[in-house]
Amino acid sequence: MRRFCIGIMTALLVLCGCQQAEPYQDLEDEPVATLSEVDVPDAIFTSDRKGASITEEEIRSAIILYLNSSEDLDAVMEAFQETIYSEEELTREEKDKVNKTISLIEENDQNFSDFITSNSLPADYDKGADRISQYITDYNDYIRSLDKAFDRFDKGEMKVSDLETILGSTGTVNGREQKKIEDFLRDKDIQTRAFQQ
């Protein structure tokens, strides 16, 4: 998940004439699949439970499905971004894949948020689940705002200083919040593809 965000940030930093930070170089060297190589995931987080007392097993399963779905959806968006950077023309099928992915990202985020706010979670999961929901939703919003800003910059509708302002407005998408989530997942022994524990 971080690789996509870092890829966009790196491109914008290069555009802005800034130097890339050392820690991100390893992530940038990892190969990114093409849009034709990735599939839009079949499953995202859904639940019709409201007003229920959620068990520890249920919330653990919900977190795993939500984060794994987020990671799978992010893989499609990474492939999309790679296509954009290579300046290849998208096919109709690829455009449909991207549009479907964007819709699923929003649905996945909203469904999980509704689930954790509409039900009673075990006390030691309440804060962690909320932090996860907020971080992933903010991450997805940040990526969308960067994409829009990059398009506007590319068309000459934005200045470098405007891009720098957007780069600095990450909300909860930062290393501190990520570490808190990773610590929570490690503490609860929740294994996902989205975060390294």
Side-chain angles (χ1 to χ4, degrees):
M1 177 168 299
R2 293 180 312 175
R3 187 173 51 196
F4 180 57
C5 186
I6 290 167
I8 291 175
M9 288 173 53
T10 301
L12 290 174
L13 289 172
V14 167
L15 250 155
C16 297
C18 302
Q19 185 141 348
Q20 179 182 358
E22 274 305 308
Y24 300 131
Q25 288 179 344
D26 290 340
L27 292 172
E28 284 302 302
D29 292 339
E30 293 180 25
V32 176
T34 65
L35 267 174
S36 60
E37 295 171 332
V38 293
D39 295 318
V40 177
D42 295 328
I44 62 168
F45 180 80
T46 59
S47 176
D48 56 1
R49 305 234 11 224
K50 290 190 190 303
S53 288
I54 304 301
T55 66
E56 185 172 347
E57 184 178 320
E58 286 176 295
I59 189 60
R60 287 171 56 83
S61 295
I63 290 170
I64 290 168
L65 179 56
Y66 174 60
L67 288 177
N68 285 345
S69 298
S70 293
E71 186 68 11
D72 294 343
L73 292 164
D74 194 56
V76 177
M77 296 309 293
E78 284 181 32
F80 167 64
Q81 197 64 40
E82 190 67 21
T83 302
I84 297 300
Y85 288 151
S86 66
E87 298 182 4
E88 294 175 26
E89 194 69 31
L90 292 178
T91 66
R92 174 84 260 159
E93 183 180 295
E94 289 172 331
K95 288 177 185 175
D96 290 344
K97 186 182 279 192
V98 170
N99 289 333
K100 181 178 180 184
T101 301
I102 291 168
S103 178
L104 288 173
I105 287 169
E106 292 170 0
E107 191 178 338
N108 193 46
D109 289 346
Q110 189 61 56
N111 290 347
F112 187 73
S113 177
D114 290 347
F115 177 75
I116 64 172
T117 58
S118 301
N119 293 294
S120 176
L121 305 181
D124 53 342
Y125 282 83
D126 215 6
K127 191 172 183 178
D130 185 57
R131 177 172 278 129
I132 288 167
S133 177
Q134 191 63 54
Y135 183 90
I136 298 298
T137 300
D138 285 354
Y139 169 82
N140 289 325
D141 290 344
Y142 182 63
I143 296 304
R144 280 190 291 276
S145 71
L146 283 177
D147 278 342
K148 288 177 186 171
F150 188 75
D151 287 343
R152 289 183 60 211
F153 181 81
D154 203 33
K155 293 175 184 173
E157 299 170 358
M158 256 185 139
K159 298 180 285 190
V160 170
S161 59
D162 296 330
L163 287 175
E164 290 170 347
T165 300
I166 292 170
L167 281 170
S169 60
T170 61
T172 63
V173 182
N174 59 55
R176 265 187 326 277
E177 281 301 300
Q178 181 175 325
K179 183 176 183 332
K180 289 176 186 176
I181 290 169
E182 289 171 349
D183 290 346
F184 168 77
L185 294 172
R186 188 179 307 107
D187 182 55
K188 297 300 179 190
D189 195 28
I190 298 174
Q191 302 295 315
T192 73
R193 294 188 300 276
F195 290 95
Q196 302 299 317
Q197 292 96 30

